[in-house]
């Protein structure tokens, strides 16, 4: 079975992770509703770079990070964790998601939803030390592509470190 690389975009419940996937996907995005016991709301898209070279992009809520990471483990090469000004006021869920991803060894990038968030204040409040921190407009294709490229660069850098 071919291992297809995957990127996970996590955000707050009702956050813009689904928009992120829709903006960047080259196929119609599939979404699960998340109703019922054990069903996690998730969005799935794909980018085809060339024949046989695809990247799958998943968007999900941070609150179920353990379930999502376990489901996507094979091929998961990087993560983008979205945060908002509300997370600065109540950072527990965000910090928990980041801690789980770090423990799983998944290369991470963080992105502020909106431009009004001070990156330095966010780094201190949310414990983003050692992570790349971006601003993100999930409806702007260029911003989304730049964020995805940053995640891929982090994955490549992590791969280079582990093979050295």
């Amino acid at each position: 079975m071919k291992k297809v690389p995957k990127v996970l975009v996590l955000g707050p419940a009702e956050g813009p992770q689904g928009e992120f996937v829709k903006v960047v996907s080259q196929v119609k995005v599939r979404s699960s509703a998340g109703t019922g016991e054990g069903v996690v709301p998730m969005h799935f898209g794909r980018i085809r770079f060339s024949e046989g070279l695809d990247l799958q992009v998943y968007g999900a809520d941070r609150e179920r990070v353990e379930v999502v990471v376990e489901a996507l483990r094979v091929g998961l090469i990087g993560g983008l964790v979205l945060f908002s000004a509300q997370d600065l006021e109540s950072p527990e869920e965000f910090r928990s998601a980041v801690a789980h991803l770090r423990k799983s060894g998944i290369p991470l990038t963080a992105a502020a939803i909106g431009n009004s968030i001070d990156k330095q204040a966010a780094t201190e409040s949310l414990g983003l030390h050692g992570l790349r921190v971006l601003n993100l407009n999930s409806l702007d294709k260029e911003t989304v592509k730049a964020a995805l490229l940053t995640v891929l660069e982090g994955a490549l850098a992590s791969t280079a470190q582990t093979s050295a």
Side-chain angles (χ1 to χ4, degrees):
M1 186 168 138
K2 184 172 111 175
K3 181 174 139 180
V4 178
K6 302 171 190 163
V7 169
L8 175 60
V9 181
L10 289 173
E14 309 291 325
Q17 51 275 17
E19 294 169 355
F20 182 102
V21 175
K22 286 176 186 171
V23 166
V24 77
S25 181
Q26 295 173 334
V27 298
K28 184 177 180 185
V29 172
R30 288 185 268 165
S31 299
S32 66
T35 58
E37 186 66 30
V39 178
V40 177
M42 200 168 353
H43 309 278
F44 165 76
R46 185 183 72 217
I47 301 166
R48 173 156 285 168
F49 294 103
S50 65
E51 188 63 39
L53 181 57
D54 291 350
L55 175 69
Q56 295 178 351
V57 183
Y58 292 84
D61 296 350
R62 292 188 306 240
E63 65 188 30
R64 301 291 301 273
V65 65
E66 295 89 359
V67 174
V68 173
V69 169
E70 188 58 36
L72 301 177
R73 167 126 346 256
V74 175
L76 187 56
I77 62 169
L80 178 66
V81 186
L82 309 178
F83 64 91
S84 67
Q86 290 175 322
D87 291 311
L88 299 177
E89 297 168 15
S90 183
E92 297 78 23
E93 181 184 280
F94 180 88
R95 285 182 174 204
S96 176
V98 168
H100 183 77
L101 291 167
R102 282 184 166 165
K103 185 173 74 175
S104 299
I106 299 164
L108 292 177
T109 300
I113 304 166
N115 293 324
S116 62
I117 298 173
D118 179 325
K119 288 182 188 178
Q120 186 59 39
T123 297
E124 295 301 321
S125 175
L126 299 174
L128 302 176
H129 305 285
L131 297 184
R132 295 176 188 191
V133 181
L134 313 170
N135 287 324
L136 178 71
N137 176 348
S138 62
L139 297 175
D140 178 59
K141 190 168 189 161
E142 295 308 311
T143 307
V144 169
K145 285 178 10 183
L148 187 57
L149 285 173
T150 301
V151 172
L152 294 174
E153 288 169 358
L156 288 171
S158 176
T159 302
Q161 286 177 347
T162 55
S163 64

